[in-house]
Amino acid sequence: MNWITNYVRPRINSIFSRRETPENLWRKCEGCGTMLFHRELSDNLNVCSNCGHHMSISPRARFTAFFDGGTFNEIAIPEPKIDPLGFRDQIKYPERLRAAQKVTGEKEAMLVVSGEIGRTPIIAAAQDFSFMGGSMGMFVGNAILTASDEAVRQKKPLILFAAAGGARMQEGILSLMQLPRTTIAVQRIKEAGLPYIVILTHPTTGGVTASYAMLGDIQIAEPNALICFAGPRVIEQTIGEKLPEGFQRAEFLLEHGMLDRVVPRQKMRDELIVIIRLLLGLPPAIKGDLPSPSRKQDTHLHPTTT
C-alpha cells in the first residue's frame, strides 16, 4: 500500500464516477406547497397527490395518457403568415414566437390529432398555455377549422381541451376574427350530427370563452379552473364590489348552471368514453386490452376509402 493506491487511485475513481444530479427533480405545488417528485407528479398527470391541485400539462403529455395505448396521429394545420401586422413592442413578434417554440417544442399554441379512446375513434384538439398563454391567433383559428373539417369528413366526434388567456394581441383584429370563424366551424360539426365536447382547463378566458370554448354539446371542466371573459380583479375594479368566494371557478359555474360537470384529470378519460359512446348510441366500452373493432362493426365511425 502506498500513496498511489491510497490516494491517487481513489481520487481518479471519484472523478470518473461522478454523476451530475439532474435539475428540477422536485416541483412545488402551487396549491398546498408540497414538494412533489417529478416522476410521481408526471405519473399522476401533473395533479398534486396531496391536495388535488391541477397543474398545467402539455397537449402531448395529455394525449399520451388520453388515447388508447398512448398513440395518436397528428393532423397538419395550415400555417398563416407570420407577423401580418408587423407588430412591435419590447420584443418583436417573430422573436416571441421563436422563444415560445424553443420552450415548448411546438410550432404553435394548439395541437390537433386523431386516435381512439375506449376503441372509439375521435378527433381531439388541445391548447398549450405555455405557448404565449395559449392565446388565440390565426393559427389557433386554422386549427379549429381543421379539426372541424376532419371531424365532419371522417364522421368522428370532436373533443377540445381549452386553455387560454384570450386573443393574441400581436395579431390585433385578425385575432378577433377567429371568434366568428371558430363559431362557424363548431356549427358545421353540429349540422353533421356529431358530438362536440369541450373540456375547460385552467385558465380559459377572454375571446376563447366568447367563442368555441362555450359552445360544446357537453361542457366539462377540471377542478378549480378559472373560466371567464374578464378576470375577477378587473370586475372588482369595475363594479367596486367584493366578488363571491370562488367566483368564476369551475365549481361556482357548475353550481350556477354554466357547466355540465367538473371531473378530475385522472378520471376524465373514462368519463369521456362513457359520454361519447352514449351520444353515438354505442354499447358501453369493454375494459381490457382488446383488438380494435372491425370495420364492419364500426363503419359509421370511419371514413370510407376509395
Side-chain angles (χ1 to χ4, degrees):
M1 300 290 288
N2 52 41
W3 70 274
I4 296 179
T5 57
N6 290 342
Y7 177 78
V8 176
R9 183 177 296 172
R11 182 65 176 169
I12 292 174
N13 290 338
S14 67
I15 292 173
F16 286 98
S17 63
R18 285 177 185 172
R19 293 183 180 179
E20 293 184 1
T21 303
E23 296 181 358
N24 302 323
L25 283 178
W26 300 86
R27 180 173 174 182
K28 185 177 181 180
C29 173
E30 296 93 339
C32 65
T34 300
M35 296 301 293
L36 304 166
F37 185 53
H38 74 98
R39 188 173 298 171
E40 294 178 358
L41 182 61
S42 178
D43 291 342
N44 205 36
L45 301 180
N46 282 15
V47 177
C48 177
S49 56
N50 183 55
C51 69
H53 175 71
H54 283 53
M55 306 179 193
S56 61
I57 184 171
S58 70
R60 289 189 187 274
R62 184 188 294 275
F63 287 155
T64 299
F66 184 64
F67 284 103
D68 294 351
T71 60
F72 53 86
N73 297 314
E74 187 171 348
I75 297 174
I77 299 169
E79 297 186 18
K81 181 180 178 181
I82 298 176
D83 196 16
L85 303 180
F87 190 92
R88 290 190 181 186
D89 53 13
Q90 293 179 340
I91 302 175
K92 295 180 181 179
Y93 182 33
E95 292 180 11
R96 289 191 183 275
L97 287 173
R98 286 192 291 270
Q101 290 167 350
K102 183 177 180 179
V103 170
T104 63
E106 300 290 349
K107 290 183 179 179
E108 254 282 358
M110 180 165 275
L111 183 67
V112 179
V113 302
S114 64
E116 292 185 348
I117 58 168
R119 306 308 186 195
T120 309
I122 66 162
I123 303 294
Q127 284 177 274
D128 189 350
F129 192 76
S130 298
F131 196 106
M132 297 185 68
S135 51
M136 178 181 63
M138 291 187 295
F139 185 94
V140 170
N142 288 351
I144 302 293
L145 263 68
T146 300
S148 171
D149 290 343
E150 286 298 310
V152 173
R153 183 180 70 84
Q154 300 186 34
K155 296 182 174 59
K156 296 179 180 179
L158 175 59
I159 296 178
L160 187 142
F161 295 86
R168 185 170 296 178
M169 60 174 291
Q170 289 87 351
E171 296 184 15
I173 189 65
L174 299 176
S175 177
L176 296 179
M177 287 172 61
Q178 307 314 307
L179 276 72
R181 288 185 77 210
T182 55
T183 301
I184 292 171
V186 171
Q187 185 60 31
R188 290 177 183 172
I189 300 172
K190 297 188 175 184
E191 289 176 354
L194 298 166
Y196 172 57
I197 300 175
V198 179
I199 294 87
L200 300 122
T201 70
H202 178 77
T204 302
T205 64
V208 171
T209 51
S211 54
Y212 58 87
M214 297 302 290
L215 297 175
D217 298 310
I218 303 290
Q219 299 285 137
I220 304 174
E222 292 185 339
N224 202 39
L226 177 65
I227 304 166
C228 61
F229 182 74
R233 284 181 297 180
V234 174
I235 295 175
E236 282 188 350
Q237 293 170 1
T238 302
I239 67 177
E241 295 183 13
K242 186 69 177 177
L243 298 174
E245 184 69 24
F247 184 69
Q248 294 181 320
R249 295 289 174 167
E251 293 75 12
F252 185 92
L253 270 64
L254 177 65
E255 184 180 345
H256 290 77
M258 294 295 290
L259 298 173
D260 293 298
R261 57 187 64 192
V262 176
V263 180
R265 189 175 295 162
Q266 303 97 318
K267 298 181 179 179
M268 190 69 72
R269 169 183 152 86
D270 291 339
E271 189 80 10
L272 289 171
I273 290 172
V274 172
I275 292 173
I276 283 291
R277 295 186 74 85
L278 279 172
L279 294 176
L280 292 173
L282 297 173
I286 300 174
K287 292 187 178 181
D289 190 15
L290 300 176
S292 298
S294 66
R295 292 187 64 85
K296 290 183 179 179
Q297 294 173 325
D298 216 17
T299 52
H300 65 293
L301 291 179
H302 291 273
T304 57
T305 56
T306 56

